[in-house]
Amino acid sequence: NAGVTQTPKFQVLKTGQSMTLQCAQDMNHEYMSWYRQDPGMGLRLIHYSVGAGITDQGEVPNGYNVSRSTTEDFPLRLLSAAPSQTSVYFCASSTLRGAEAFFGQGTRLTVV
Amino acid sequence: AQSVAQPEDQVNVAEGNPLTVKCTYSVSGNPYLFWYVQYPNRGLQFLLKYITGDNLVKGSYGFEAEFNKSQTSFHLKKPSALVSDSALYFCAVGGDKIIFGKGTRLHILP
């Protein structure tokens, strides 16, 4: 079991570029989420999904898109990168409502 | 809307002393409450959770948390701190979506 795998681990983008952060889990978890972590701000929820084909917005969804076509994958798309999106991004998954969440190792994104 | 507050940015405790990391929550209905820990350059690791039942919840690495409905609090505790407990601790609340607090940095002094 690899758990929750995020790729890439590091990325530098230029303002205006688009990219997709990948998240995959091999635990057959229904729930998946994306967070961003910024100093002094804790973790803020971007988008989440309670199952394939179902997504919803979190606390800070603007500038990000998600889709959930399979149980395993939950990619996060940055449409037009901005310096304010410089952050560490974490993907998480859990089996069901109220269950322990498993986190990936994070993607450190810098937008210049 | 659901939220959690961690009123302390940093907590300093001498090794061997008891520690408490504070958390208060706001949620409609019965809460699901969690504590997670983050070590440097790592993802978050689950410590413990409260869903229902006993107000004192025991978790990993000797940590426990006390649920207090009247004070809407869920403080993390440990009877005797270790230097290796130094890390960033997050309180969280939610069901379908989990909302995290801003985190408290715990520094255990040798």
Side-chain angles (χ1 to χ4, degrees):
Chain A
N1 268 358
V4 180
T5 302
Q6 292 183 234
T7 56
K9 288 186 169 52
F10 302 93
Q11 183 70 48
V12 179
L13 285 180
K14 293 183 178 178
T15 297
Q17 285 185 318
S18 62
M19 80 159 294
T20 299
L21 306 185
Q22 301 292 345
C23 176
Q25 53 91 8
D26 60 0
M27 298 172 284
N28 203 32
H29 286 175
E30 290 296 323
Y31 286 67
M32 296 187 74
S33 304
W34 275 103
Y35 294 88
R36 59 177 289 174
Q37 184 176 19
D38 303 290
M41 302 295 292
L43 271 77
R44 291 181 291 171
L45 180 65
I46 304 172
H47 286 285
Y48 68 102
S49 169
V50 299
I54 306 169
T55 64
D56 207 346
Q57 295 181 350
E59 302 169 281
V60 289
N62 291 343
Y64 307 95
N65 272 358
V66 292
S67 60
R68 185 94 181 272
S69 56
T70 67
T71 299
E72 295 77 20
D73 300 300
F74 192 43
L76 178 71
R77 297 182 185 85
L78 279 70
L79 309 173
S80 177
S84 61
Q85 294 179 303
T86 294
S87 188
V88 181
Y89 291 84
F90 288 99
C91 179
S93 74
S94 60
T95 52
L96 44 74
R97 197 169 194 269
E100 165 191 357
F102 292 81
F103 281 79
Q105 293 300 298
T107 295
R108 186 173 294 274
L109 176 67
T110 302
V111 183
V112 298
Chain B
Q2 55 197 18
S3 64
V4 291
Q6 294 181 244
E8 303 152 317
D9 291 335
Q10 180 163 315
V11 171
N12 297 321
V13 177
E15 186 176 26
N17 282 2
L19 69 87
T20 298
V21 183
K22 296 179 180 177
C23 172
T24 58
Y25 67 89
S26 174
V27 65
S28 57
N30 294 322
Y32 293 164
L33 294 163
F34 307 84
W35 276 101
Y36 286 82
V37 60
Q38 185 181 34
Y39 297 101
N41 299 315
R42 301 289 298 276
L44 275 70
Q45 297 176 29
F46 171 81
L47 279 179
L48 51 81
K49 70 178 179 184
Y50 172 85
I51 295 179
T52 187
D54 195 347
N55 290 343
L56 186 64
V57 180
K58 294 190 182 298
S60 306
Y61 312 120
F63 283 93
E64 57 190 27
E66 187 170 11
F67 172 70
N68 187 317
K69 189 172 184 178
S70 63
Q71 297 185 4
T72 61
S73 67
F74 189 56
H75 301 331
L76 182 70
K77 300 181 179 184
K78 187 173 183 180
S80 179
L82 300 173
V83 172
S84 57
D85 292 330
S86 298
L88 187 57
Y89 290 80
F90 289 96
C91 182
V93 65
D96 290 345
K97 63 179 182 180
I98 307 298
I99 303 300
F100 284 80
K102 293 186 177 182
T104 298
R105 189 164 299 281
L106 179 62
H107 188 49
I108 307 302
L109 308 169

